[in-house]
Amino acid sequence: MFDSLTKGYLPETDFPVRKIDEEKCTRCGRCVETCPTFGFKWQKGEVPIPRGYGGFSQACLNCGNCTAVCPSDAITMSGSYSVREGRYKNSLQAQMAFPNPMCLKGEKDYDTFKEELTDVERAIYERRSNRLFKDKAVPREVIERVLEAGRFAPSAGNCQPYKFVVIQDQKLIHEFESLAMKTLRTFKNLYLDRDGKKPLWKSTLFTFLSYFMINKLDPRPFTAIEKADNRNNRIYFDAPCIILILKDKRGVSNPDLDAGICAQNMVLSAHSLGLGTCYIGLSIEPLNYPLMAGFRKKLGIRHPFEAVTSIAMGYPKGKIDGVVKRDTPQVSWIGF
Ligand SMILES: Cc1cc2nc3c(=O)[nH]c(=O)nc-3n(C[C@H](O)[C@H](O)[C@H](O)COP(=O)(O)O)c2cc1C
């Protein structure tokens, strides 16, 4: 507690370092496009340059998607995202590793054992969030097939406390994005000045607020807001279809968790059907605020339903999937 107070809101953070091999780089900009954050400076025809944001040395979530989409393996990442001190200190072990479900000794190339994995395992390890979509509608019967996978998800008390809103109307998606961005931009400006600087009073305010709203005020998503702000509000990355997953607040136990499990069934089923998906949470918080009551009404969202998350879905533009490294959570083995 005292530690949090003294270190304040701004965490001491180690970021992964992204390096781009200029010889290999094709200057296609796919890494820039797929990055969930405002993570690269880039001009068409140039090699992208990793950048920082809002006082952080790197605007990077360590997802590795830039490495997965790169057509020439030009990007390498080293180190991990690790918050060493303060309010957001994490409990990961800062040990980044590729999938190793067979517990093989030493670093083994995924391709050498991938054939031994089940289809479900391969989908789990190879699926990446897709932010590059073809301009091609998803047929209704394919969407229905994805929703059906959600319907058969496990839920507490078998309550199935969810409802879906599927939107293909691009005008409506853009309206949603720009309404959500109004709130998000206000938040961002409260956090940083327009020139990206953070005056002391803003740090102090956020330090204070983070005690009450720790999940809402993690600084990492702010760089995703910056990206949307720079891309005409495109929170949904021009996906041809979005699915909102609503929870029925009356569901037993934990309807948010039920909705999340249901969503992941859909994401994996979509992947198996050759679709790409990306969870989009950025727009959900604003959607649930009183400011967007009118828009909620337009979508038919009313009590007892509330949006939990959303999925952007469409056909991937080029290769998106691929294995990436992940950090290693602590595990307590008991009784072994
Ligand atoms: C609940 C949830 C909300 C998310 N919201 C966003 C979002 O608003 N924008 C975005 O680009 N990615 C979003 N993501 C995707 C994450 O950034 C991504 O899952 C993470 O970086 C790991 O990458 P991977 O999905 O390729 O493994 C979200 C993921 C989850 C699970």
Side-chain angles (χ1 to χ4, degrees), residues 36 61 63 65 127-129 131 224 235 237 278-283 309 324 326:
L61 306 182
C63 66
N65 287 30
R127 175 214 58 84
R128 296 277 65 81
S129 286
R131 301 179 183 90
I235 294 175
F237 306 104
C278 184
Y279 282 101
I280 301 292
L282 217 51
S283 49
T309 192
V324 293
R326 280 282 178 269

Side-chain angles (χ1 to χ4, degrees), residues 80-137:
S80 61
Y81 180 95
S82 166
V83 185
R84 282 176 279 122
E85 294 293 345
R87 195 84 187 89
Y88 287 88
K89 183 173 176 180
N90 64 20
S91 53
L92 294 167
Q93 302 183 76
Q95 283 170 15
M96 298 294 289
F98 281 113
N100 185 12
M102 318 294 214
C103 300
L104 300 169
K105 295 270 175 280
E107 204 158 287
K108 287 281 179 296
D109 187 1
Y110 179 78
D111 286 338
T112 62
F113 60 81
K114 89 181 229 191
E115 296 309 322
E116 293 173 56
L117 302 181
T118 64
D119 290 343
V120 174
E121 285 178 303
R122 276 198 292 268
I124 288 170
Y125 298 123
E126 294 171 26
R127 175 214 58 84
R128 296 277 65 81
S129 286
N130 189 328
R131 301 179 183 90
L132 293 157
F133 295 100
K134 278 188 185 157
D135 183 15
K136 178 181 168 192

Side-chain angles (χ1 to χ4, degrees), residues 138-147 166 168 241 243 313:
V138 186
R140 180 160 174 157
E141 59 275 17
V142 178
I143 301 173
E144 298 221 14
R145 202 161 154 179
V146 170
L147 297 180
V166 186
Q168 297 236 64
C241 171
I243 304 175
M313 187 167 82

